[in-house]
Structures are given as structure tokens and as C-alpha cells.
């Protein structure tokens, strides 16, 4: 490109950046990426115009957040980074993906200089209580960005056309400045378009969402979470840069959660061994309930927690687990908490006196060897 034309083009780009907007910034980043193979000098000249935009935007004054035009209720819930946020307990594979997303966003300027963009959109799917919402909050914490959560109660409207307008307002707002936008219960606004039970407005909204994901600003991170991935429109899965499948926590994750809630390691491992199929949220609630019972009912915390664990297994598998080593060990400890002697426990459980003694010592942290 001749020198004069290039100078005019750069002036145009500078004027556009003064106006601002995530769409303009994204287009300039894409332009630099596309032009680089044929005109490296022009790409190098454009890149500084968009690099560093993240910090400049974050320092700008706060703008009004979107509200429903009729009710004036806010359409997003806002959480600012907090040092008290607890990191999620993820599988090694999920943790590696989360770390990669953070690393790319922290190196956004380096990627832009090479004509690349960080991960812009993440779709998390899995059963309730496995840490999807917590992971979105942790991403915002590590990126030092506010977390915007779409408030479905305010967004969903009985008036034709209002739901779509509200969602579009939130999507546009989240791209005005760096943030992490969480679309929780994503299946409620991105259902399959062949679902005959939905009105035309929501079907049109899916198309808008797909277009928005394609053009999402690299300065913000879009995170969608669903408990029902099978309800999502098939095209949605292809649009996200990263998909994170969450599963029920493994034994190691369950034990780590209990230990992080100040349950002694031997007991945490024993409880974790018999709570397969329980989400981390259920384990955390069980610890809270056990502590309340210990305070209000003058009951031992360990006894309350073990009682919950013994009854938490699904009915279809409880019979099989009754004879398992893990369930036996908890039964032994539960009887001990209720004041029975080792010999009485041995007779009830159907094992030897020495086995009872070894199990109790291990669960109380007095020895490491198993029974």
C-alpha cells in the first residue's frame, strides 16, 4: 500500500478508536491479523492502536448498567474481584484449561502483536453443584475483572420482544469494557431452534447469540454454563472457543473439599470413599449442617457428618456399599462416637476387635496404616 494511503488509513483507525467500542477494536485486531502476511509494516502500525486498550478502559469512569425498561430492575448482577473468593476444586484436565485461558488473557497484547486473540468464549456443561459458577467467578478473580451475571429473573419478560431486547442489551454492555460475563442456565435462552414449544422470539434470540459469540470482543470473556447441554442448539457448541465438560467429582476432589472445610484428613478420606455421585456443593452443605447440629444439638461433629455420609448414597447402590470397607469403617467410627466399646462395635459390625481398634486409630489420625 502506498505511503499516503497508509497514513490516511491509520488516521481513520485512530479516529475510530477515539469513538471506542468493542466491535471496532475487534475489527482492527482482525484487520492486523489478515494484513500481516502481505503487509507486515501496516500490521505493525495498526497493532499499537489496540494493544493496551484493556488497561485504558478499566480506568475509565463507570457507566450505567443495563436495566429492564419497564421494571427498572438491573439485568446483571455485578461482583468485583475479592481476595476472599475460594478457588474451585477441578480435575487436572479442567484446571489446565482454566490456567490456559487465564494465561492467554494475561498475554493478550503479545498475542495481538502476532495477529492472534485470546480465548473469548467458554461453554461449561455438567450436572448441578460441580463448580461451574464458581469457576466463572474464579476466572474473573484471576483476571482481575468484574463478574457480570445475567439475571434471568429480570431478563425474561412476558412481553413479546422484551426478552430478546434485554439479552442483547446485556451482551452489548459486557463488551463496552473488560469483564467476565456469565450466562448461567444458558439453555433457557439458547435452546434448540427445532423445539416447537418455544415462541419465535426465543428462536430469533438464538441466532443473535450465535452472531454475538462470533464477534465477541477479546477484551472480555464470555462464559456460558448449562446443566442441560442436550437442550442447547447444536450450532451453539461450535461457536465457543473452549468447551469445559464438568463431571461429578472424583474421590480425590471430594476428599480435598472436605479437608479444605477443616475435616481431619483421615475422616475426610473415609467420607469421600462412600459419597461417590455427590456433587461438591452437597458435601460442603453437609459440613455446614453437621457443624450446626454439633452446636445446637450437643452432638459430635464427626457423628453428624458420618450419619449424613452413611445415608447419602443413592438407594440403588446403598446395599452394595453396606459391605464395603469404606462403609464398614464409617459404621465403626459412628458407633464409637455413640459411646460403644471396641468389643461391642466388633460384634455389631461383624469384624474382629483388633480391626476395630486399627480403624479407630486410623480415622482419628493416630496411625497411617489401613485396616
Amino acid at each position: 500500500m502506498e505511503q499516503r494511503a497508509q497514513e490516511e488509513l491509520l488516521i481513520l483507525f485512530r479516529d475510530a478508536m477515539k469513538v471506542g467500542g468493542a466491535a471496532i477494536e475487534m475489527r482492527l485486531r482482525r484487520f492486523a491479523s489478515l494484513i500481516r502476511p502481505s503487509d507486515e509494516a501496516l500490521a505493525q502500525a495498526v497493532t499499537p492502536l489496540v494493544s493496551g486498550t484493556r488497561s485504558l478502559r478499566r480506568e475509565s469512569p463507570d457507566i450505567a448498567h443495563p436495566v429492564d425498561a419497564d421494571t427498572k430492575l438491573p439485568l446483571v448482577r455485578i461482583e468485583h474481584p475479592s481476595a476472599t473468593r475460594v478457588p474451585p476444586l477441578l480435575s487436572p484436565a479442567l484446571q489446565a484449561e482454566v490456567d490456559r485461558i487465564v494465561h492467554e488473557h494475561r498475554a493478550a497484547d503479545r498475542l495481538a502483536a502476532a495477529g492472534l486473540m485470546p480465548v473469548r468464549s467458554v461453554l461449561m456443561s455438567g450436572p448441578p453443584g460441580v463448580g461451574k459458577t464458581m469457576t466463572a467467578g474464579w476466572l474473573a478473580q484471576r483476571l482481575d475483572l468484574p463478574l457480570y451475571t445475567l439475571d434471568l429473573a429480570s431478563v425474561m419478560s412476558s412481553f413479546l420482544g422484551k426478552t430478546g431486547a434485554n439479552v442483547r442489551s446485556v451482551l452489548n454492555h459486557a463488551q463496552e469494557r473488560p469483564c467476565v460475563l456469565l450466562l448461567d442456565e444458558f439453555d433457557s435462552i439458547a435452546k434448540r431452534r427445532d423445539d416447537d414449544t418455544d415462541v419465535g422470539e426465543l428462536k430469533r434470540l438464538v441466532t443473535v447469540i450465535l452472531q454475538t459469540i462470533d464477534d465477541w470482543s477479546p477484551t472480555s470473556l464470555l462464559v456460558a454454563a448449562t446443566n442441560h447441554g442436550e437442550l442447547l442448539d447444536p450450532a451453539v457448541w461450535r461457536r465457543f472457543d473452549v468447551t469445559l465438560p464438568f463431571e461429578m467429582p472424583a474421590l480425590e476432589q471430594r476428599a480435598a473439599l472436605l479437608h479444605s472445610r477443616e475435616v481431619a484428613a483421615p475422616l475426610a478420606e473415609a467420607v469421600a470413599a462412600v459419597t461417590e455421585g455427590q456433587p461438591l456443593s452437597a458435601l460442603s452443605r453437609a459440613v455446614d449442617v453437621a457443624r450446626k447440629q454439633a452446636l445446637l444439638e450437643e452432638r459430635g461433629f464427626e457423628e453428624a457428618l458420618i450419619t449424613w455420609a452413611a445415608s447419602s448414597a443413592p438407594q440403588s447402590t446403598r446395599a452394595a456399599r453396606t459391605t464395603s470397607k469404606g462403609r464398614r469403617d464409617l459404621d465403626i467410627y459412628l458407633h464409637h462416637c455413640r459411646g460403644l466399646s471396641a468389643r461391642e462395635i466388633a460384634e455389631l459390625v461383624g469384624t474382629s476387635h483388633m480391626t476395630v481398634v486399627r480403624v479407630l486409630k486410623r480415622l482419628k489420625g493416630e496411625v497411617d496404616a489401613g485396616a
Side-chain angles (χ1 to χ4, degrees), residues 76-237:
V76 292
R77 299 191 303 274
I78 303 169
E79 299 177 54
H80 295 284
S82 169
T84 60
R85 190 179 288 278
V86 178
L89 292 169
L90 304 175
S91 67
L94 285 180
Q95 187 63 58
E97 283 293 285
V98 169
D99 291 341
R100 179 173 71 87
I101 293 167
V102 172
H103 182 62
E104 288 190 14
H105 272 262
R106 288 177 174 174
D109 290 346
R110 289 172 55 197
L111 292 175
L116 301 171
M117 287 189 292
V119 169
R120 297 174 299 156
S121 57
V122 180
L123 175 59
M124 302 186 295
S125 64
V130 292
K132 299 187 296 296
T133 302
M134 183 178 288
T135 299
W138 184 241
L139 280 168
Q141 171 75 16
R142 292 189 64 189
L143 295 175
D144 193 26
L145 295 175
L147 175 66
Y148 292 177
T149 302
L150 181 72
D151 193 329
L152 283 175
S154 299
V155 166
M156 303 299 281
S157 173
S158 60
F159 296 102
L160 186 63
K162 287 301 300 297
T163 298
N166 284 341
V167 172
R168 284 191 291 271
S169 177
V170 170
L171 293 173
N172 292 336
H173 176 75
Q175 296 187 84
E176 290 299 321
R177 60 187 51 225
C179 71
V180 174
L181 173 62
L182 172 61
L183 305 180
D184 210 354
E185 299 180 51
F186 190 50
D187 48 275
S188 63
I189 59 173
K191 283 186 179 180
R192 301 175 65 98
R193 283 169 288 185
D194 58 4
D195 187 345
D196 295 332
T197 63
D198 278 331
V199 298
E201 179 198 357
L202 291 183
K203 294 180 180 180
R204 291 190 295 271
L205 179 57
V206 174
T207 301
V208 171
I209 291 173
L210 294 177
Q211 293 170 345
T212 301
I213 297 172
D214 286 340
D215 295 335
W216 191 257
S217 168
T219 62
S220 291
L221 180 64
L222 175 64
V223 179
T226 178
N227 300 334
H228 304 286
E230 72 280 1
L231 298 180
L232 294 178
D233 191 277
V236 167
W237 292 92

Side-chain angles (χ1 to χ4, degrees), residues 18 38 99 118 222 243 245 264 282 302:
K18 290 177 183 177
S38 59
D99 291 341
L222 175 64
T243 57
E302 292 84 358

Side-chain angles (χ1 to χ4, degrees), residues 344-360:
E344 291 172 324
I345 296 172
E347 184 176 347
L348 281 173
V349 176
T351 189
S352 69
H353 169 264
M354 289 306 299
T355 295
V356 171
V357 171
R358 286 198 301 269
V359 169
L360 290 176

Side-chain angles (χ1 to χ4, degrees), residues 258-280:
L258 292 166
H259 191 47
S260 72
R261 297 298 311 275
E262 299 181 354
V263 177
L267 181 57
E269 293 171 5
V271 171
V274 299
T275 51
E276 182 179 354
Q278 289 290 340
L280 296 178

